[in-house]
Amino acid sequence: MPMPRPSASTTYEKSRTSTRHPLALTIILSTALLALSPAQAANLTDNRRSGYAFMGPPLRAMQDDDMTNPASLWQRDGETLWAEPIGEAGRSCADCHGDAASSMRGVAARYPAFDRTMNRPIDLEQRINHCRTAYQKAGPLAFESHDLLALSTHVARQSRGLPIAIENSKALHPFLAMGRSLFHERQGQLNLSCAQCHDDNAGRSLGGATIPQAHPTGYPLYRLEWQGVGSLQRRLRNCMSGMRAAPYAFGAEAFVDLELYLMWRANGMPMESPAVRP
Amino acid sequence: MAKPLIKVPPTAKKGEIIEIKTLIAHPMETGYRAGLNGATLPRDIIRRFVCSLDGEEIFSADFSPAIAANPFLSFFTRIEKSGSITFQWTGDNGFSVSETVEISVS
């Protein structure tokens, strides 16, 4: 467990405010409130924070500008792949879906979503592969392969800024419950659960890194540590090996349940895909 | 991999200082890391970047193994005339990418 934070900052605040007139403080607070946008004001009652909020200004700037966000390179490849006819059907994504900018708007914000043919939720990568095998008659792409990441980055980019919107459907409830229990289940040699870090200790430090609240707002994302783009499942495997647990295989049902729970937990938060994270 | 991303203002005033930005996809493998089987991964980096206006060099850089993957460069130049700005990246394993962008100076 991390050491409790020193209370230096709170005593500093106290000594600072006690020297001021109470009215002065009220004026400062109310002008601060007026300067907030409606979205920021709504956040005052919502304690959820994206990993973006824990990054410094240089990394935020890197994410915000497509020119400096290296995930743009993947997204551009995805744009090319989107229009390429493939498989026995000789069809491209665009032949059915048209321009991704309109047809894929908000789609990634709804995934994982329930799929009737599989009778369970599937994530965006699985949806892309399902399209490839069922409609394009091409083989599925390997998880974390460049082409699959390029396509999922291109699709997810079309949801940037839109709120995460996991459907509240009865069919999803058992899978959400499974995801929730996985999130709270202790595992690995360190006997830790996801919740112990990301709920109980978010904002504090683990080694040199700040523990975020585990809201998957920006996947697939460019991680500086990876020097490349990776999926949410890759990130979850990272955490699992960090807990010294055996990571599930890519595409495992448990992963999709966990992804579903995390996205549901972040419902309403704006999508940042493709994000940049340290 | 994708074409490099290049940002050059399409127009500029004579004598204006402009900012040029480039981002290119490259693994920048250092040559010092071990692969999954324990064997050292051979070095694969960009060695040199040259930016020139109508053949005249305006900026160049030598890259080393310590530079991150997908290198981003930003630099400034005083622009005096219209022309083609050429960007050339060369590196290990015969890596060579060239792009040209036009700028009109008034």
Side-chain angles (χ1 to χ4, degrees), chain A residues 199-258:
Chain A
D199 275 353
D200 302 346
N201 286 295
R204 297 167 109 180
S205 298
L206 180 67
T210 308
I211 305 173
Q213 296 177 357
H215 297 301
T217 48
Y219 286 87
L221 55 74
Y222 190 90
R223 201 165 171 227
L224 301 188
E225 189 185 313
W226 294 335
Q227 304 263 297
V229 167
S231 69
L232 177 54
Q233 290 199 8
R234 180 174 178 191
R235 187 65 194 84
L236 293 173
R237 282 170 65 91
N238 260 197
C239 262
M240 290 184 82
S241 49
M243 301 192 293
R244 297 185 201 152
Y248 314 132
F250 278 113
E253 294 184 352
F255 262 150
V256 181
D257 294 346
L258 197 51

Side-chain angles (χ1 to χ4, degrees), chain A residues 66-68 73 77 146 222 227, chain B residues 1-2 5 21 23 69-70:
Chain A
D66 281 344
M67 178 65 221
T68 56
L73 296 164
D77 277 349
H146 177 79
Y222 190 90
Q227 304 263 297
Chain B
M1 280 298 278
L5 270 72
K21 295 176 183 174
L23 177 69
N70 309 311

Side-chain angles (χ1 to χ4, degrees), chain B residues 19-92:
Chain B
E19 184 179 16
I20 296 175
K21 295 176 183 174
T22 69
L23 177 69
I24 186 167
H26 198 283
M28 294 297 284
E29 186 56 58
T30 61
Y32 300 115
R33 298 196 311 157
L36 289 175
N37 61 0
T40 308
L41 295 167
R43 194 188 75 181
D44 179 17
I45 64 169
I46 297 171
R47 292 294 292 160
R48 190 160 169 77
F49 167 80
V50 180
C51 174
S52 40
L53 174 65
D54 289 338
E56 188 192 340
E57 183 178 309
I58 52 177
F59 179 85
S60 68
D62 289 318
F63 283 45
S64 72
I67 291 173
N70 309 311
F72 170 80
L73 282 179
S74 160
F75 52 93
F76 296 85
T77 186
R78 188 187 304 274
I79 196 93
E80 299 289 355
K81 59 175 173 111
S82 304
S84 317
I85 302 184
T86 311
F87 301 84
Q88 176 83 39
W89 293 261
T90 46
D92 296 335

